[in-house]
Amino acid sequence: MKLALILLAAGDSRRFDGNKLLYEFYGKPMYRYIVEEVEKLPTDFFCRKLVVTQYEEIMDYMGSHGYEVVENKESSLGISHSIHLALKALEGEDAALCFAVCDQPYLKAATIKALAEGWQASGKGIGCLCNMGEFGNPAIFSKAYREELLMLNGDVGGKRVIRSHIGDLYLHEVSDSLELVDIDVRNIPAMGRKP
């Protein structure tokens, strides 16, 4: 089954006190970590790669790294708006959707690959990473869930859809809980481990 990657990078970083995606995290902007991990995957792993963002620097960088850029001019509408924009850009594309965020600097390419392969083998409609029962990103949705994703509104993401369909969910357990950590506040030095 074809799989399209959607990187969500349009958030306003309200809790971070600054733009966390452009924040220098151990020597590089936070958003570049996932880009570098995706580059380690086979070139045909994703049939299309999109990034939804409001930031010029991210648009320029991602556009030069093989991503289709979808501009979000209304990030105040919440994550659901980014999801809707991505789905509109992928209209007519016969592919499952892999949503990922750009503030998980510890996430590894091998984990993304294992999630996708495990989900496909499971025959389930949804897949996501987890650690000790906690759901995490990335999350994969078969095309059957597009309409439900389009019904999301406000600052509500795919986890609402996931929780409504636990019986159709493949969970891929990660042993290193840091892989699921998204950096929302400036307590980074407390983590003490470079990605």
Side-chain angles (χ1 to χ4, degrees):
M1 183 182 293
K2 292 196 298 182
L3 189 59
L5 175 65
I6 300 158
L7 293 186
L8 301 171
D12 292 333
S13 309
R14 289 185 192 93
R15 285 186 288 164
F16 193 77
D17 186 29
N19 187 332
K20 67 179 175 182
L21 298 174
L22 301 179
Y23 181 81
E24 287 281 321
F25 186 73
Y26 289 107
K28 73 180 94 163
M30 181 105 61
Y31 77 92
R32 291 196 188 174
Y33 282 93
I34 191 163
V35 179
E36 291 177 4
E37 291 303 311
V38 168
E39 285 176 348
K40 295 175 184 176
L41 296 168
T43 53
D44 62 350
F45 194 79
F46 294 110
C47 64
R48 287 172 71 181
K49 296 185 295 185
L50 280 71
V51 61
V52 183
T53 188
Q54 61 172 313
Y55 302 111
E56 200 76 40
E57 178 183 323
I58 295 177
M59 288 182 209
D60 292 345
Y61 184 85
M62 301 294 264
S64 69
H65 281 73
Y67 285 77
E68 299 170 50
V69 175
V70 178
E71 186 176 6
N72 184 342
K73 296 178 180 176
E74 298 178 280
S75 61
S76 61
L77 295 177
I79 195 167
S80 66
H81 185 58
S82 287
I83 292 170
H84 297 165
L85 290 171
L87 291 172
K88 185 175 180 185
L90 288 166
E91 209 165 10
E93 179 66 64
D94 185 28
L97 310 161
C98 178
F99 289 93
V101 293
C102 292
D103 58 356
Q104 281 180 240
Y106 295 97
L107 182 66
K108 298 300 177 199
T111 303
I112 299 170
K113 188 171 187 285
L115 166 65
E117 291 173 348
W119 167 77
Q120 193 151 4
S122 76
K124 302 283 189 178
I126 304 173
C128 76
L129 295 180
C130 73
N131 178 258
M132 310 276 287
E134 284 288 315
F135 297 163
N137 289 307
I140 299 173
F141 298 87
S142 72
K143 59 186 180 181
Y145 287 99
R146 285 186 188 213
E147 291 306 313
E148 203 164 333
L149 290 165
L150 282 168
M151 290 192 295
L152 295 171
N153 54 54
D155 205 24
V156 174
K159 283 196 177 72
R160 174 168 290 177
V161 177
I162 290 171
R163 289 192 178 99
S164 298
H165 300 280
I166 297 296
D168 197 25
L169 174 64
Y170 164 74
L171 287 173
H172 186 82
E173 183 78 18
V174 295
S175 55
D176 184 355
S177 61
L178 261 186
E179 285 201 65
L180 300 189
V181 169
D182 56 358
I183 310 294
D184 282 333
V185 293
R186 289 179 183 250
N187 65 348
I188 294 162
M191 294 186 171
R193 197 176 100 197
K194 187 175 177 179

